Amino acid sequence: MIERYSNLLGSAARLYERHRVNRPKPFNVFAVLRSASDEVNLHSRFLHALLDHVDPLSGERENLDEFVRGVVQAKDFAVKGAHVERESNHIDLLIANKPEAIVIENKIWAGDQERQLQRYRYSLIHEGYDKESIRLLYLTPFGHEPSKQSVGDIPVKQIQLVSYRDDLPNWLIGCQRRAFSDPGLRESIAQYRRLILQMTNNDYEAEHMNELKELLRRDDNVVLARQISRTLIDVEVELVGKFYGLIEELLRAEINDLPEIDPDYKGLAHEREIRKCVVGKGQNRDSGLYFKFAENAWLHVGGYNRLWFGVYCSREESADLYGNLQKALASAGDRHHQDFESPWYLWLDELPRWTGADERERLHIREPNEASLRFLSSDPGSVREFAQCVAGALRDLWGAINEHGLASQP
């Protein structure tokens, strides 16, 4: 049995080396000009261009028709006469033909805004669109659900989840074929498709996959691979849990008055909840450490899609405290983010000590990618060094919170 495992892993490793490691990285104009996570200036712009593209021979917008029929599955939507808009009333992409409308909210890694989807729907109803004919699409890399705060009073079942990984590649192949008479457009679509395959860790070549499938069909390899696959989830969960434990250990060593982990959220650093986050396809799952320092405010490090750290505080529930934290933390770091749930946060892979080479090298907790697994399973010294960097940044946040007298939790 041990020899069979060794043969399977050895053969798979050789395939990986031949197809992946030594493969030259093709030039991609999108990766040069924009970050792959730039949802507004890259993805929404290019998708808008494809959706609104008029075929010079037929005079039809065949890409739009295929998107509406195939991706949205809106068979009765009147494509003829519809207009496609970008950033109309802050809606990323809008396909509209009164009284019908298709709203596309495009999210790469950014967080949702407060009642975002609800506001879009209400504004369209106010403009005269039929509330029963407004479709809401939530487009993300892997197809996860929007936050409850973004949805507002809209039932989640009324929101269609669409993913870059599963829904766009085949549509883009169709767009590429339809651009047969326009070499520039055809190559642009090909490069964009490669970009999103890389972004979703799905850019394995067909030859590589076919050879790997053939390997699994031999002997009992498919049974062994199934066992490895099941065990892999356990390993991923353990690696994330150990990382959280290391962060807490270093924080307690650096901060004498560090608050206790909120009892209501203590389970989020345990195996059961981490597992839900790691394999929670299409679900809102959170994991990590929540150190409560005031009513409705926490020092936090953990994962939702990507691993992040910062201060969690709802602007809706605690507007004054949120505003005070925003001011107190304004000078803590020169490139932090903020949204309606956090006055200050950073992705862990934005820290100076992170050594990812490109947009694929992000620290994901949902369906961990190669970069995440490579990092979490690397030598303990490297992991500890990076965890120390995280702990140091959290220590600085805590110092600013204390300096402004915003810690009130006993």
Side-chain angles (χ1 to χ4, degrees):
M1 178 67 73
I2 294 175
E3 184 178 352
R4 274 201 237 161
Y5 271 114
S6 299
N7 290 338
L8 172 60
L9 292 174
S11 299
R14 285 190 289 275
L15 281 177
Y16 180 85
E17 289 288 332
R18 179 153 55 90
H19 286 284
R20 296 281 291 175
V21 175
N22 299 318
R23 183 181 67 179
K25 187 175 178 181
F27 176 81
N28 193 302
V29 67
F30 295 101
V32 172
L33 296 177
R34 291 286 180 185
S35 163
S37 59
D38 189 339
E39 57 202 30
V40 175
N41 295 308
L42 193 163
H43 295 283
S44 291
R45 275 191 175 185
F46 193 68
L47 292 174
H48 175 264
L50 290 181
L51 290 169
D52 208 30
H53 178 261
V54 177
D55 183 87
L57 299 178
S58 67
E60 302 291 335
R61 288 179 294 179
E62 297 178 4
N63 294 340
L64 176 62
D65 187 79
E66 181 58 32
F67 184 86
V68 170
R69 309 285 178 236
V71 178
V72 185
Q73 297 183 349
K75 308 298 183 184
D76 300 326
F77 186 91
V79 172
K80 191 172 178 128
H83 52 97
V84 183
E85 299 179 6
R86 185 178 69 86
E87 293 299 315
S88 173
N89 292 325
H90 305 292
I91 297 173
D92 291 332
L93 291 166
L94 175 66
I95 305 169
N97 194 355
K98 277 188 178 180
E100 299 178 286
I102 298 171
V103 174
I104 304 172
E105 177 57 23
N106 187 15
K107 290 289 183 188
I108 305 300
W109 308 122
D112 293 327
Q113 297 177 29
E114 190 174 357
R115 291 190 174 90
Q116 192 170 20
L117 294 175
Q118 177 183 298
R119 284 188 281 108
Y120 296 161
R121 187 169 184 268
Y122 283 1
S123 67
L124 289 174
I125 293 173
H126 182 72
E127 291 177 19
Y129 288 87
D130 179 9
K131 65 180 180 180
E132 301 300 327
S133 300
I134 298 173
R135 293 174 173 85
L136 297 172
L137 267 66
Y138 194 68
L139 174 60
T140 62
F142 300 108
H144 71 267
E145 292 177 354
S147 67
K148 293 179 182 178
Q149 291 86 348
S150 172
V151 170
D153 61 7
I154 304 172
V156 175
K157 65 181 180 181
Q158 293 185 9
I159 299 170
Q160 183 178 345
L161 306 181
V162 182
S163 76
Y164 278 91
R165 180 189 61 186
D166 299 324
D167 298 299
L168 289 197
N170 287 338
W171 174 70
L172 288 169
I173 288 175
C175 294
Q176 191 176 356
R177 288 172 179 163
R178 286 185 286 274
F180 66 91
S181 62
D182 189 337
L185 177 59
R186 187 173 67 246
E187 177 58 24
S188 296
I189 297 170
Q191 291 194 27
Y192 180 70
R193 183 173 179 273
R194 284 197 295 270
L195 183 79
I196 66 171
L197 290 176
Q198 291 173 357
M199 182 180 74
T200 56
N201 200 36
N202 195 32
D203 62 329
Y204 288 85
E205 294 178 340
E207 184 183 358
H208 183 188
M209 289 293 98
N210 288 336
E211 291 188 42
L212 193 55
K213 289 176 186 176
E214 183 59 35
L215 173 63
L216 293 181
R217 292 190 188 101
R218 297 177 200 161
D219 303 322
D220 285 336
N221 283 350
V222 69
V223 177
L224 298 176
R226 182 182 177 87
Q227 294 174 2
I228 292 172
S229 177
R230 288 176 172 175
T231 307
L232 175 61
I233 300 296
D234 294 335
V235 172
E236 292 171 349
V237 171
E238 288 178 7
L239 289 172
V240 174
K242 285 181 179 178
F243 183 68
Y244 288 158
L246 180 57
I247 294 288
E248 183 179 5
E249 172 195 328
L250 294 173
L251 275 174
R252 298 213 177 275
E254 293 220 7
I255 303 175
N256 294 328
D257 58 344
L258 182 70
E260 292 300 316
I261 292 178
D262 188 334
D264 292 336
Y265 297 102
K266 196 168 186 178
L268 292 180
H270 293 167
E271 183 269 343
R272 181 178 176 181
E273 294 304 317
I274 293 174
R275 182 180 297 274
K276 290 178 183 178
C277 190
V278 168
V279 300
K281 299 178 183 178
Q283 300 177 28
N284 278 311
R285 297 294 184 186
D286 195 6
S287 69
L289 307 169
Y290 282 81
F291 302 94
K292 189 171 185 178
F293 63 85
E295 192 63 32
N296 294 326
W298 298 262
L299 198 66
H300 171 69
V301 57
Y304 178 69
N305 286 309
R306 280 163 73 186
L307 287 163
W308 69 282
F309 74 97
V311 173
Y312 187 93
C313 177
S314 170
R315 184 172 58 206
E316 180 183 14
E317 295 178 5
S318 304
D320 290 343
L321 178 57
Y322 181 98
N324 290 332
L325 285 167
Q326 194 175 38
K327 293 174 185 175
L329 301 173
S331 60
D334 57 355
R335 55 187 185 122
H336 63 274
H337 312 286
Q338 59 188 24
D339 60 26
F340 66 94
E341 292 183 318
S342 176
W344 195 106
Y345 74 91
L346 269 181
W347 305 112
L348 264 65
D349 49 56
E350 292 179 323
L351 288 169
R353 287 193 178 274
W354 178 246
T355 57
D358 58 36
E359 285 292 336
R360 287 175 293 173
E361 305 298 295
R362 299 302 196 195
L363 280 172
H364 292 237
I365 188 170
R366 183 194 299 272
E367 299 183 9
N369 59 1
E370 292 176 10
S372 304
L373 294 175
R374 192 177 295 116
F375 162 69
L376 291 170
S377 61
S378 61
D379 70 275
S382 298
V383 176
R384 190 176 187 87
E385 183 180 0
F386 184 74
Q388 187 68 60
C389 178
V390 179
L394 284 164
R395 179 198 58 215
D396 294 342
L397 294 181
W398 181 242
I401 290 168
N402 271 330
E403 181 183 344
H404 289 79
L406 299 175
S408 60
Q409 191 72 12

